Amino acid sequence: MAKIVLQRGKEKKIQNFYPNVFQDEIKEKIGTMKTGDLVDIVTEEMEFVARAYVTEGSSAYARVLSTKDEKIDKTFFQKKIKNAYDRRKHLLKETNCIRAFFSEGDGIPGLIIDKFEHYVAVQFRNSGLEVFRQEILNAIKKYLKPKGIYERSDVENRTHEGVEQKTGILFGEIPERIVMEDNGAKYHIDIIHGQKTGFFLDQRDSRKFIQKYIHEKTRFLDVFSSSGGFSMAALRDGAREVIAIDKDAHALELCRENYELNHFQSNFSTMEGDAFLLLETLGGRKEKFDIITLDPPSLIKRKAEIYRGRDFFFDLCEKSFPLLEENGILGVMTCAYHISLQDLIEVTRMAASKHGKKVRVLGVNYQPEDHPWILHIPETLYLKALWVQVVED
């Protein structure tokens, strides 16, 4: 097997379970290797550190699968996928849809498996995983026992790494809609045309968090609503009126379908277009809301974009505070790893101060347990949600 020799001292982070080997950490490559090949990661003294696969077009040249000297074969993938699924089965008491496998968080970098009732959406996020495609699909069939598997490998970094984006049915059949049940609300899931793999499963804890602040007089504004995760949760909890904002017409169509699916009686409407412009429109109409959620897509992909990201969130918050009632609540969320909780705190504080608003923190949420945060892998903590309430002096 080919070997990657690390620069002295660079083995320590791998021994501490960090999965990425970057080009500037490599001293020497012994043997021929190409994308998807298995290689051993070794020290300068040729001591074994880990077994990894190569992703040539990526900033991470090799991605670790195991720090043990073990065979990487169908048994390896079956064990990883079975163990990950077993750790999540208790969540199926509350919902019929979960993330069954979360990339580095579960030990196979780049692999995402979402289980929507009897169907599975799978995502191979990097070029190197293509070599193990069949072993992974066989393991999914064996342990998740789906009626159908759909591929959603339509992610940008695949193109950067020299492999095409892929979508399509890999096994069985996929219905046009799947009904998800989550904490008392129902949602239509569109695996084929929906955003990401069909639904934002990672906001489950935030939807639960805001529940206790919603009552029959609540007016709720769901900005970047997607298919209405927060909207339906607010309607379920008795909100008087909910407005969902998104630029994606298909997402808003799903919002309206979900409203009908749940037979809600409260007022619900959608606004299609740019969130910033629509917030300005609502402000011009002197609209007021008791709760506003800001949950934009991950627009910040690199560390160099942090300042642009901070400006983006400041502008969002700055346009939202005038729309809040006295004692109103604002939820500010990011799924961008490079935007930290501290970044959210700072921009929210500055935007509140600009409008003379004093705010107190109600709470902070992260991603739920089926999107595991591994302390040794900082990138696995990506979702942060800051909840603040206006305090009247």
Side-chain angles (χ1 to χ4, degrees):
M1 185 178 293
K3 292 178 171 55
I4 291 176
V5 183
L6 296 175
Q7 300 277 0
R8 185 170 298 279
K10 296 299 182 182
E11 72 278 1
K12 292 179 181 178
K13 71 170 191 176
I14 305 300
Q15 291 166 339
N16 286 324
F17 310 110
Y18 187 77
N20 295 333
V21 177
F22 297 99
Q23 285 276 12
D24 61 1
E25 298 170 331
I26 298 173
K27 179 180 180 180
E28 183 183 2
K29 298 171 187 174
I30 301 175
T32 59
M33 57 189 73
K34 63 182 184 303
T35 292
D37 284 353
L38 289 170
V39 294
D40 280 351
I41 312 298
V42 300
T43 66
E44 286 185 335
E45 292 76 29
M46 302 303 290
E47 295 175 347
F48 177 86
V49 177
R51 190 149 291 150
Y53 67 86
V54 172
T55 50
E56 287 185 298
S58 171
S59 59
Y61 183 81
R63 301 172 189 268
V64 172
L65 290 171
S66 180
T67 54
K68 301 175 183 176
D69 186 0
E70 62 178 317
K71 193 172 184 181
I72 307 299
D73 56 9
K74 70 175 185 179
T75 302
F76 172 86
F77 290 104
Q78 287 178 357
K79 181 181 177 181
K80 287 284 187 183
I81 290 170
K82 178 183 184 300
N83 288 347
Y85 186 47
D86 285 347
R87 286 193 291 270
R88 294 156 163 81
K89 282 184 177 178
H90 67 283
L91 296 174
L92 295 173
K93 297 175 183 177
E94 301 178 11
T95 179
N96 61 344
C97 299
I98 59 172
R99 174 147 292 182
F101 202 95
F102 178 51
S103 192
E104 291 90 346
D106 286 304
I108 304 177
L111 176 64
I112 300 293
I113 304 171
D114 285 343
K115 185 176 187 292
F116 297 108
E117 197 184 31
H118 304 301
Y119 304 90
V120 163
V122 62
Q123 192 174 78
F124 300 93
R125 294 185 62 84
N126 61 55
S127 56
L129 274 182
E130 288 293 314
V131 173
F132 312 111
R133 171 182 288 264
Q134 198 55 53
E135 288 91 341
I136 289 168
L137 293 177
N138 289 341
I140 292 172
K141 293 175 190 176
K142 182 173 182 178
Y143 295 110
L144 276 65
K145 296 180 169 41
K147 292 182 179 179
I149 302 174
Y150 194 86
E151 180 171 9
R152 285 298 304 265
S153 299
D154 46 349
V155 290
E156 186 179 346
N157 61 286
R158 282 178 62 96
T159 304
H160 293 160
E161 294 178 15
V163 291
E164 65 178 346
Q165 298 183 16
K166 292 182 180 179
T167 61
I169 295 175
L170 301 179
F171 167 74
E173 60 182 13
I174 299 293
E176 184 177 343
R177 296 287 188 273
I178 299 163
V179 176
M180 168 181 164
E181 298 182 14
D182 183 71
N183 200 28
K186 294 180 180 180
Y187 302 86
H188 275 129
I189 307 297
D190 182 352
I191 290 181
I192 298 174
H193 300 111
Q195 295 177 1
K196 298 293 185 180
T197 59
F199 191 79
F200 291 91
L201 295 171
D202 51 9
Q203 287 288 15
R204 185 186 304 118
D205 288 354
S206 284
R207 292 193 293 269
K208 287 182 182 178
F209 175 85
I210 198 61
Q211 184 172 8
K212 57 182 172 288
Y213 299 102
I214 298 172
H215 49 77
E216 69 278 0
K217 294 183 180 180
T218 298
R219 197 159 187 250
F220 194 106
L221 180 62
D222 182 8
V223 186
F224 304 101
S225 66
S226 184
S227 57
F230 282 107
S231 294
M232 298 309 120
L235 290 163
R236 171 203 62 201
D237 296 329
R240 172 172 63 92
E241 181 183 2
V242 175
I243 298 176
I245 288 177
D246 206 283
K247 68 178 182 179
D248 186 330
H250 182 61
L252 294 179
E253 178 187 339
L254 284 172
C255 276
R256 292 185 286 270
E257 286 185 20
N258 290 335
Y259 177 72
E260 297 296 331
L261 176 67
N262 285 277
H263 305 290
F264 290 129
Q265 300 302 310
S266 302
N267 292 326
F268 175 67
S269 59
T270 62
M271 298 177 71
E272 181 183 343
D274 179 83
F276 292 92
L277 294 178
L278 293 177
L279 287 171
E280 289 178 358
T281 298
L282 291 169
R285 299 196 319 222
K286 307 298 183 184
E287 300 267 11
K288 293 290 183 178
F289 298 89
D290 300 285
I291 300 174
I292 300 174
T293 53
L294 305 174
D295 184 20
S298 177
L299 302 175
I300 310 305
K301 305 295 185 183
R302 294 179 293 275
K303 190 175 181 179
E305 298 173 333
I306 289 176
Y307 291 106
R308 181 170 68 86
R310 284 172 59 98
D311 290 344
F312 174 88
F313 277 98
F314 174 82
D315 290 344
L316 269 182
C317 293
E318 193 273 331
K319 287 177 169 52
S320 298
F321 274 114
L323 299 175
L324 282 174
E325 293 278 13
E326 293 184 6
N327 301 312
I329 294 171
L330 181 67
V332 188
M333 292 154 246
T334 179
C335 56
Y337 160 68
H338 291 293
I339 298 295
S340 69
L341 175 61
Q342 191 59 41
D343 289 326
L344 291 187
I345 291 170
E346 287 298 310
V347 297
T348 304
R349 176 186 59 77
M350 289 188 293
S353 295
K354 181 175 179 179
H355 289 285
K357 303 287 187 181
K358 179 181 179 181
V359 296
R360 69 184 182 107
V361 174
L362 292 180
V364 173
N365 297 128
Y366 302 104
Q367 67 235 34
E369 63 176 291
D370 55 346
H371 298 65
W373 169 16
I374 306 300
L375 289 180
H376 314 273
I377 311 173
E379 294 90 338
T380 58
L381 173 60
Y382 70 98
L383 182 67
K384 287 80 65 174
L386 173 68
W387 297 92
V388 299
Q389 183 177 35
V390 176
V391 178
E392 297 298 327
D393 286 334

